[in-house]
Amino acid sequence: RAQKRYPHVPFCVGDAWRTSDLIRMKERYLAGSTSVGYDVVYVDIGGLSGSEGLLEAISLLSAIENALEPRHIVIKSLCMRRLASSLVPFYKLWKIEQMNVRKEKENK
């Protein structure tokens, strides 16, 4: 569907574990390109779940980032989604800590 909507944008499918194939894919389909890496890489990480799946997914994303140097990586992954939903932004923790420090000073 995306190829029909954006016929001027090249779409390719490859095995993310074989990063050298992904580099060759760019050379094959974008022969006139002067950019070094990819602009955007979309990764569908299926079949990886649990703690081992999370480590494999992070390893895969790191390999893609180092080999292809994309500007953005878009990830579709249940294990990464679960991790992301459990993370807390630092500013929230910092805000709570600052409130606790103020309370301690007021109670002295």
Side-chain angles (χ1 to χ4, degrees):
R1 184 169 49 166
Q3 286 178 324
K4 289 179 182 177
R5 188 170 179 184
Y6 303 100
H8 60 284
V9 176
F11 291 88
C12 302
V13 177
D15 183 349
W17 291 106
R18 302 183 67 177
T19 53
S20 61
D21 287 351
L22 299 177
I23 293 169
R24 283 191 289 277
M25 187 183 297
K26 181 178 181 188
E27 293 169 355
R28 188 176 331 126
Y29 293 103
L30 300 173
S33 176
T34 58
S35 64
V36 176
Y38 279 73
D39 190 38
V40 181
V41 175
Y42 296 89
V43 182
D44 184 351
I45 302 176
L48 301 178
S49 60
S51 60
E52 291 177 10
L54 182 60
L55 294 175
E56 286 185 34
I58 291 170
S59 174
L60 176 61
L61 295 173
S62 179
I64 290 170
E65 194 275 327
N66 289 322
L68 306 180
E69 299 178 348
R71 190 169 51 102
H72 298 286
I73 298 177
V74 179
I75 308 158
K76 178 186 169 198
S77 166
L78 181 58
C79 61
M80 294 297 281
R81 181 177 174 223
R82 288 179 181 152
L83 171 65
S85 67
S86 69
L87 299 176
V88 178
F90 176 76
Y91 76 89
K92 287 186 179 182
L93 297 174
W94 179 255
K95 195 175 188 179
I96 292 169
E97 180 65 26
Q98 293 303 307
M99 288 174 28
N100 290 337
V101 168
R102 283 188 200 120
K103 286 180 184 178
E104 287 179 13
K105 286 182 180 180
E106 291 173 0
N107 292 332
K108 287 185 179 181

